C-alpha cells in the first residue's frame, strides 16, 4: 500500500489506518525530532503532536508539493525547531541574573545582519521553488530534514544513485540561479 493510500484511509477514518501510518513513519519521525530537539521527551512530544495533526487534518497534504513522507518530515522538522525555541525561551526566563544584577543575553546578529539573512533566505526559497519537484524534495529532506542521502533514498523509495544525481543537479542549478544574488562570504581582509 502506498503512503498516499494510507493517508487517504486516515482521512476516511478507516479502522487501523492511523496505526499503519504511524507504524510506517514513527521511527523516522522520532529520529528526526530527536536530532533536532536532542531532548528525548521533547522529541516524543513533537512526534505525538505531528501525528495528532495528521489525524485531525490529513487534507492538508498536497501531492503537488512533494511526497507524503516529505510532508510529514517537514512538519516534524518545523515542530521540533519550534519546540526547541519554546524551550530556549522558557529557560531564558528562568535563568537567574548575573552576579552584577545584569541580565545575560547571548550575543546575536545585529538588525542589519538579520535583515540581510532574511533577504538571502527569500532568494533561496525562490530558487528552490524553481527546481523540479523531485530535486526540491531530495534537497529539502537532506538539508532541511537533516537526512543522509541514503536515508533520503529510503524515504523517497528511489535508488541512492538517483538521489545523488538529483541533489548534484539541484545544487548546480541553485548555484546558477543564486549567482550574483547571494554572497555571504567573508569580506574582511579584502580591499
Amino acid at each position: 500500500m502506498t503512503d498516499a493510500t494510507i493517508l487517504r484511509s486516515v482521512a476516511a477514518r478507516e479502522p487501523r489506518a492511523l496505526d499503519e501510518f504511524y507504524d510506517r513513519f514513527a521511527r523516522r519521525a522520532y529520529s528526526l525530532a530527536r536530532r533536532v530537539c536532542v531532548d528525548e521527551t521533547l522529541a516524543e512530544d513533537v512526534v505525538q503532536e505531528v501525528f495528532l495533526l495528521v489525524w485531525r487534518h490529513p487534507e492538508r497534504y498536497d501531492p503537488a508539493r512533494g511526497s507524503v513522507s516529505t510532508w510529514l518530515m517537514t512538519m516534524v522538522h518545523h515542530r521540533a525547531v519550534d519546540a526547541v525555541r519554546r524551550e530556549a525561551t522558557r529557560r531564558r526566563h528562568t535563568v537567574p541574573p548575573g552576579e552584577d544584577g545584569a541580565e545575560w543575553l547571548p550575543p546575536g546578529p545585529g538588525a542589519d545582519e538579520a535583515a540581510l539573512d532574511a533577504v538571502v533566505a527569500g532568494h533561496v526559497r525562490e530558487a528552490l521553488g524553481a527546481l523540479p519537484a523531485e530535486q526540491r524534495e531530495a534537497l529539502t529532506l537532506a538539508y532541511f530534514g537533516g537526512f543522509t542521502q541514503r536515508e533520503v533514498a529510503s524515504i523517497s523509495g528511489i535508488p541512492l544513485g538517483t538521489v545523488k544525481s538529483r541533489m548534484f543537479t539541484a545544487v548546480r542549478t541553485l548555484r546558477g540561479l543564486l549567482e550574483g544574488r547571494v554572497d555571504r562570504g567573508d569580506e574582511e581582509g579584502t580591499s
Side-chain angles (χ1 to χ4, degrees), residues 120-142:
V120 168
H123 290 317
V124 171
R125 273 193 301 277
E126 184 180 310
L128 278 170
L131 293 175
E134 61 275 355
Q135 291 178 11
R136 185 173 49 250
E137 177 183 12
L139 280 183
T140 300
L141 285 170

Side-chain angles (χ1 to χ4, degrees), residues 35 77 98 112 142 147:
R35 269 199 304 262
H77 183 261
D112 58 337
F147 292 101

Side-chain angles (χ1 to χ4, degrees), residues 43-115:
E44 290 170 356
D45 290 346
V46 164
V47 171
Q48 181 180 358
E49 186 179 330
V50 168
F51 279 96
L52 186 59
L53 187 63
V54 168
W55 174 250
R56 289 181 178 162
H57 302 287
E59 75 281 356
R60 289 186 180 171
Y61 168 65
D62 180 5
R65 298 190 66 181
S67 70
V68 171
S69 61
T70 301
W71 171 67
L72 183 72
M73 295 306 151
T74 301
M75 282 195 301
V76 169
H77 183 261
H78 288 298
R79 297 287 171 149
V81 169
D82 289 346
V84 169
R85 287 180 181 151
R86 277 192 311 271
E87 184 66 17
T89 299
R90 186 189 66 75
R91 286 185 181 157
R92 194 172 35 239
H93 290 293
T94 58
V95 171
E99 289 180 23
D100 61 356
E103 182 181 347
W104 180 84
L105 295 174
D112 58 337
E113 201 171 323

